[in-house]
Structures are given as structure tokens and as C-alpha cells.
Amino acid sequence: MFSDLRALSLLTLVFAVAVLAAAFGFQHIGGLDPCVLCIYQRWPWVAVIALAALSFALGGSRALLALAGLAMIAGAGIAGFHVGVEQHWWAGTSECGAQSGAPQTVEALKQQLLATAVTRCDEIAWSLFGISMAGYNLILSLAGAVVLAWSLTHARASPRSA
């Protein structure tokens, strides 16, 4: 698809920035507060941005782009886990707002309320065509990793980096 490593680095960078910007847009413009798993899903995109930017600065690095692809796969794993939590296939992490029992004292209730996530991981805040934001992140992460892997196997070194 993309035969120049430097151009592939730039495309990967733009793609990752767009995905992360969309997440922040939904939060800050759309008013959808993220749950803890939503926040975790952002970190692999931050890694992709850093790796792709460094690859671009170096003229196109196969190794850095391969690491960016692995970060996308890690992000897909987190997103897939979140989809499972949303669908109630399994429980989320302890940070997802699940209550582990009734508190016995007022102080214990206070501590439980303060420790509870504001946005629950098992509630879908937004969906389009029956797919949640975590589902779209899963799709974008996997698609990005596949395109990047395919492109890396067919890419040539940039004229600058050759």
C-alpha cells in the first residue's frame, strides 16, 4: 500500500493523532467522560505517535514502525477486553466501578464512593450501528496494525535513509 518508509511513518503518525484526537473530542466536546479502560486504550496510541514521529524524524525506520504496529496490537487487546466488559462477557478491573459488597460503616461507604470510578466500564456511553467506541478502537487498532504490517513487508527504504 505504502512503499516509502518515511511516508508510511507520516501516515502512521497522522492516523494515530486522528484516533487520539477523536477520543479527546468525544470527551471534551461531546461530553462523554471516559472510564478507566477508555483511558488505558489511549496509551498505545500515544506510543504509536511517539514511535511514528521518531521513525519519520529518522527518515523511516522499519524497527520503529514494527514497534508501532505492536503497540496497535496491544491497544486492540485492551479494546477487546473493554468490549467484553461492556457486553458483560467478563468482569472489568477493580478500577471499573464494580462494588465488592456492602460497606459496614459510614467511613467504609465514604471510602468506597471515593474509590468508585465515575464512569463505569460496563456501560456503553455511545455507539453507532451497535458498535461502541471500544469496538471502533478495536477495529481501528487491528486495521492499522494489518495495514502497517502489510506495508512494512512491501516497503523500500526512503531515498534519504538508504
Side-chain angles (χ1 to χ4, degrees):
M1 286 193 157
F2 303 98
S3 59
D4 180 271
L5 286 174
R6 192 156 197 261
L8 182 58
S9 300
L10 182 60
L11 181 70
T12 303
L13 176 61
V14 169
F15 176 64
V17 167
V19 170
L20 201 52
F24 282 114
F26 274 99
Q27 178 181 352
H28 295 290
I29 298 168
L32 295 175
D33 289 330
C35 70
V36 69
L37 291 178
C38 294
I39 300 296
Y40 291 164
Q41 289 175 81
R42 294 176 183 182
W43 285 107
W45 289 111
V46 171
V48 172
I49 289 169
L51 292 164
L54 185 55
S55 176
F56 181 76
L58 296 174
S61 166
R62 256 182 227 283
L64 291 172
L65 288 173
L67 288 173
L70 290 175
M72 286 185 205
I73 291 170
I78 297 167
F81 177 77
H82 192 181
V83 168
V85 171
E86 290 175 336
Q87 297 301 317
H88 304 283
W89 295 336
W90 46 73
T93 66
S94 61
E95 300 166 304
C96 284
Q99 301 299 326
S100 59
Q104 301 300 315
T105 66
V106 173
E107 183 60 31
L109 175 61
K110 178 182 172 187
Q111 291 303 316
Q112 188 177 53
L113 290 173
L114 290 174
T116 301
V118 175
T119 304
R120 295 181 55 91
C121 300
D122 61 351
E123 294 175 359
I124 299 172
W126 179 91
S127 69
L128 180 64
F129 307 119
I131 302 173
S132 68
M133 288 176 57
Y136 281 107
N137 189 24
L138 173 62
I139 293 165
L140 290 172
S141 297
L142 289 176
V146 167
V147 169
L148 189 54
W150 189 92
S151 296
L152 281 173
T153 61
H154 294 82
R156 66 183 189 292
S158 304
R160 283 176 135 194
S161 64

